Amino acid sequence: MKADEVLIAHHDVLRGLLRELAETTDDQTGRREELRDRFLREIEIHAQIEDELFYPAVPDVSPLLALAHAEHRQIDDQVATVMRLDVTDPEFTTEVRMLEKTVRHHTMEEEQRMFPQSHALGEERLEQLGEQLRARKRELEDSGGMRLIVRLKRATLRHA
Ligand SMILES: [Fe+2]
Ligand SMILES: [Fe+2]
């Protein structure tokens, strides 16, 4: 898989999780918590593989980078808001939908503006980079470090 294909597949996972989360009802507390935690974990991994491997590899990306980083920060803030809310809070779904909107906007912008620029790297390099992204993603999924970060983040945000 090419680098952009790997990231688009992961965008689909992120968007899917938020869509599912937004569609849950107030009585599905366990499901809400599970989807919220899963999203937190996936978005942490996603931002990390982009920052570490993808963004630095894309040619002429600098004009788009400041915006991408600002959007990652905005997503972070909105995730924090969603993490702090009790899943039965009447505002919960509203906040999830706002987060979903930001994530949609950011991922579409990457897909429409940044990913086409990555095509300048050529097929071979894109495949290679795709493999690196997949390997790093797997590593983070399995890593105790990432699990710890997510757990700490969840605990801090919940009790802040
Ligand atoms: Fe991004
Ligand atoms: Fe992305």
Side-chain angles (χ1 to χ4, degrees):
M1 264 169 116
K2 298 191 187 72
D4 55 333
E5 292 167 346
V6 174
L7 293 174
I8 290 172
H10 204 208
H11 285 172
D12 287 338
V13 170
L14 294 168
R15 291 182 290 229
L17 284 169
L18 288 179
R19 191 181 326 118
E20 238 189 293
L21 185 56
E23 283 165 5
T24 53
T25 49
D26 289 348
D27 56 332
Q28 295 175 286
T29 52
R31 184 83 186 124
R32 272 193 182 171
E33 277 171 12
E34 183 192 320
L35 287 166
R36 177 172 68 175
D37 284 358
R38 170 119 194 265
F39 180 79
L40 174 64
R41 193 175 141 73
E42 297 291 345
I43 194 78
E44 290 288 326
I45 291 173
H46 189 78
Q48 191 155 337
I49 63 174
E50 282 186 342
D51 285 342
E52 235 176 68
L53 298 167
F54 185 73
Y55 292 171
V58 182
D60 304 318
V61 79
S62 34
L64 299 174
L65 262 193
L67 183 63
H69 283 136
E71 286 175 353
H72 280 194
R73 275 196 301 278
Q74 194 193 339
I75 291 170
D76 249 10
D77 287 348
Q78 287 183 266
V79 167
T81 304
V82 169
M83 292 304 292
R84 282 195 195 103
L85 284 177
D86 192 278
V87 292
T88 57
D89 193 289
E91 288 302 305
F92 186 80
T93 301
T94 312
E95 292 295 339
V96 169
R97 288 199 193 279
M98 273 157 47
L99 171 62
E100 188 186 10
K101 204 171 150 207
T102 308
V103 167
R104 278 188 177 280
H105 170 84
H106 175 66
T107 52
M108 289 316 280
E109 192 144 270
E110 286 183 336
E111 289 172 23
Q112 286 165 4
R113 297 178 66 193
M114 194 186 282
F115 294 1
Q117 259 168 254
S118 75
H119 295 165
L121 292 167
E123 297 258 321
E124 203 177 323
R125 178 75 185 105
L126 275 176
E127 286 284 350
Q128 206 179 53
L129 187 58
E131 216 15 79
Q132 285 177 301
L133 287 167
R134 289 217 290 189
R136 185 69 179 125
K137 183 168 169 288
R138 267 197 304 271
E139 196 175 81
L140 290 169
E141 280 162 358
D142 297 341
S143 100
M146 181 51 96
R147 267 199 296 276
L148 186 67
I149 289 171
V150 168
R151 207 162 52 225
L152 284 175
K153 198 156 179 172
R154 193 170 57 209
T156 325
L157 293 174
R158 292 266 169 89
H159 302 116

